[in-house]
Amino acid sequence: MATILFKQGRHQCLMFSELSGSEGVQSNQFLLVNGGTGAILDPGGNLAYNELFLGMAEHFPPQRLAAILASHADPDIIASLDRWLTATEATVYISRLWERFAPHFCKPGKTRGRIEGLDDGGARLKLGSGEDRFELWALPAHFLHAEGNFQFYDPVSRILFSGDLGASLGGAVDPTQRVRELGPHLRHMEAFHRRYMVSNKVLRLWADMVSQLPIDLIVPQHGAPLEGPAVQQFIEWVRELPCGIDLMGSAQYQLP
């Protein structure tokens, strides 16, 4: 069952959040629709594929997808890529750093001519054509947590799809319930961000960049969306967060 994140006229953003079962980490998949143009963001692995395909069909014909957007190349992001390339004629958008790695998820030759590598600076992608065309921004989010990493911003809904940044984990987290106050929610976020984000320097650069955008929702790939006061609270929290290599020293590099 899809959660509607935004719906206005011909434009809508939907989230699927309970498709991976108990075997894998909880993850969110996203469908963006503008009239007759559809795009899927971080479609996930094979644990999610069947239910996602069927669930999406209630809102948009999967075979008519124009784009498959991947924030990075982790298995929970695009391990199902082979099946999506069979079922659709969509173009895959992913960092140029992962352009040659993504084919490892597919049969030989399956990705030929189907992958559009994104340069480090990102892009304002034009998806679809005619009155169904819409714009989606690929924002640089390198090392948050992958070397080549992008977040996607929808200027119509003002949703920032933030990938692993903003993730919350644990059985007490309900992905369908939006978080408006960050404080009580931090216990589900802090350990993950301290380990999976590379450094505070990168978080500060990210915070400066996204502070220029009007953002109504930050929606991560794991856990609950952030809205209202929690959006700015999160930006300010990560701006000051030591993480990754900031926390590493000789104690973490000892012979076993």
Side-chain angles (χ1 to χ4, degrees):
M1 181 172 158
T3 299
I4 297 174
L5 300 174
F6 178 88
K7 187 173 184 178
Q8 187 176 86
R10 296 162 57 81
H11 195 82
Q12 57 182 321
C13 305
L14 301 103
M15 177 176 74
F16 301 82
S17 57
E18 302 292 347
L19 306 183
S20 297
S22 60
E23 294 182 65
V25 66
Q26 184 277 331
S27 60
N28 303 319
Q29 295 80 39
F30 307 99
L31 173 65
L32 284 68
V33 176
N34 194 72
T37 297
I40 191 168
L41 169 57
D42 290 350
N46 288 306
L47 291 174
Y49 176 80
N50 287 336
E51 288 193 56
L52 180 58
F53 188 91
L54 294 173
M56 179 192 305
E58 298 179 13
H59 305 275
F60 187 85
Q63 64 273 17
R64 289 177 50 196
L65 285 173
I68 299 166
L69 303 144
S71 56
H72 55 293
D74 279 359
D76 61 327
I77 298 289
I78 56 163
S80 60
L81 185 60
D82 186 85
R83 300 175 77 177
W84 285 107
L85 290 180
T86 297
T88 77
E89 296 183 1
T91 299
V92 179
Y93 295 88
I94 195 169
S95 166
R96 285 203 184 279
L97 291 183
W98 300 121
E99 191 174 4
R100 294 290 301 278
F101 291 87
H104 285 271
F105 290 116
C106 301
K107 297 178 183 67
K110 196 77 165 285
T111 58
R112 191 169 294 122
R114 301 284 299 274
I115 296 181
E116 183 75 33
L118 296 170
D119 291 327
D120 278 352
R124 298 191 182 193
L125 304 173
K126 305 291 194 300
L127 304 178
S129 60
E131 63 177 0
D132 296 330
R133 191 178 201 186
F134 73 102
E135 189 171 86
L136 193 66
W137 299 8
L139 303 181
H142 310 306
F143 297 101
L144 299 172
H145 67 105
E147 297 87 340
N149 195 62
F150 286 94
Q151 297 173 352
F152 294 92
Y153 176 73
D154 176 13
V156 176
S157 65
R158 309 209 309 188
I159 295 175
L160 176 62
F161 297 95
S162 59
D164 281 279
L165 188 64
S168 51
L169 300 173
V173 176
D174 184 350
T176 67
Q177 297 299 310
R178 300 180 182 187
V179 172
R180 291 188 57 84
E181 288 294 332
L182 190 68
H185 193 60
L186 284 176
R187 67 183 185 275
H188 305 299
M189 307 176 77
E190 188 164 0
F192 177 86
H193 283 78
R194 287 189 184 277
R195 183 56 189 255
Y196 280 82
M197 302 301 126
V198 169
S199 74
N200 178 253
K201 174 183 177 179
V202 181
L203 287 173
R204 286 177 175 269
L205 292 170
W206 175 85
D208 289 344
M209 176 184 69
V210 300
S211 292
Q212 303 171 62
L213 292 171
I215 301 172
D216 290 344
L217 272 177
I218 293 178
V219 186
Q221 192 226 346
H222 306 287
L226 307 177
E227 73 169 0
V231 169
Q232 191 59 38
Q233 290 167 4
F234 176 74
I235 293 171
E236 295 310 315
W237 177 66
V238 297
R239 191 191 295 275
E240 304 301 326
L241 184 71
C243 60
I245 61 173
D246 306 327
L247 307 177
M248 295 291 154
S250 60
Q252 284 75 40
Y253 291 86
Q254 299 284 333
L255 294 175

